Amino acid sequence: MTAPDTPSRLRAAQVVRAHGVRGEVRVEPLGGDADRFTTGLRLHVEAGADRELTVRSSRALPDGMVLLALDGLVSRTDAEQLRGAYLCVDAADARTLGTDEWFVHELVGLRAVTTEGEELGHVSDVESCPGQDVLVVDNGNVVRRLPLCAPFVHRVDVPEGVIELTPWPEEAADEAAGSE
């Protein structure tokens, strides 16, 4: 399995709902924080016809959401039309990632191995969950879901195409019992 090519656009946020009567939208950022939504940032609506919106202002909300005012949205009706839509940035405008951060497209397709080198399969997806993202590792027979966090992920080497993981402790116990 090979990793997919870098997409031309990356999802930056999902519109949760309209806010107020002046066309603002409440969005859930998909990685990063409110600081990434700088004035002048061009966002593309992921759905149907290509529509570009430019950030006029942004404000972080206490619950992790972001309030965006976008050029072209002037009424609540305009904003309501975007409910549920993903707002994307051109890959060239993507935020700079911190240490131990990756874009989903970089992880999908990686060969998953244990720290001892045992093959687990390939990362087929990354599911977004409230606590942390979850890696979906598929070997053709078994699908494993592992939290994308330090106790399970030991090393990610995108250029090498490998991710080192520790499976759930219960899996190791099941495998040991099955070999007796």
Side-chain angles (χ1 to χ4, degrees), residues 12-171:
Q14 184 174 27
V15 178
V16 176
R17 64 179 173 84
H19 178 87
V21 296
R22 294 191 176 105
E24 291 178 304
V25 290
R26 182 183 181 98
V27 302
E28 178 181 359
L30 303 174
D33 56 23
D35 294 340
R36 70 180 295 180
F37 298 100
T38 58
T39 301
L41 177 67
R42 293 172 311 157
L43 297 169
H44 301 270
V45 179
E46 181 187 272
D50 187 24
R51 181 175 179 195
E52 184 178 289
L53 301 168
T54 303
V55 174
R56 193 169 56 244
S57 68
S58 68
R59 184 177 68 203
L61 299 173
D63 60 359
M65 299 287 181
V66 177
L67 194 60
L68 294 179
L70 303 164
D71 287 343
L73 299 183
V74 295
S75 70
R76 184 174 187 88
T77 303
D78 292 341
E80 275 297 333
Q81 293 174 1
L82 293 180
R83 181 187 290 262
Y86 288 100
L87 302 177
C88 304
V89 295
D90 288 328
D93 296 330
R95 71 184 179 90
T96 302
L97 296 180
T99 305
D100 293 335
E101 284 188 302
W102 306 272
F103 291 114
V104 169
H105 73 269
E106 293 177 312
L107 298 175
V108 171
L110 292 181
R111 186 172 59 92
V113 299
T114 66
T115 54
E116 293 81 27
E118 177 190 346
E119 294 286 332
L120 296 173
H122 287 85
V123 176
S124 63
D125 197 5
V126 178
E127 297 174 345
S128 181
C129 296
Q132 71 267 324
D133 289 343
V134 173
L135 293 167
V136 179
V137 178
D138 187 344
N139 71 3
N141 296 317
V142 176
V143 175
R144 293 178 168 95
R145 285 179 168 73
L146 300 164
L148 186 56
C149 61
F152 295 92
V153 179
H154 300 282
R155 183 174 71 95
V156 176
D157 190 330
V158 173
E160 188 181 309
V162 69
I163 183 169
E164 284 183 7
L165 304 169
T166 294
W168 290 96
E170 296 85 10
E171 286 185 29

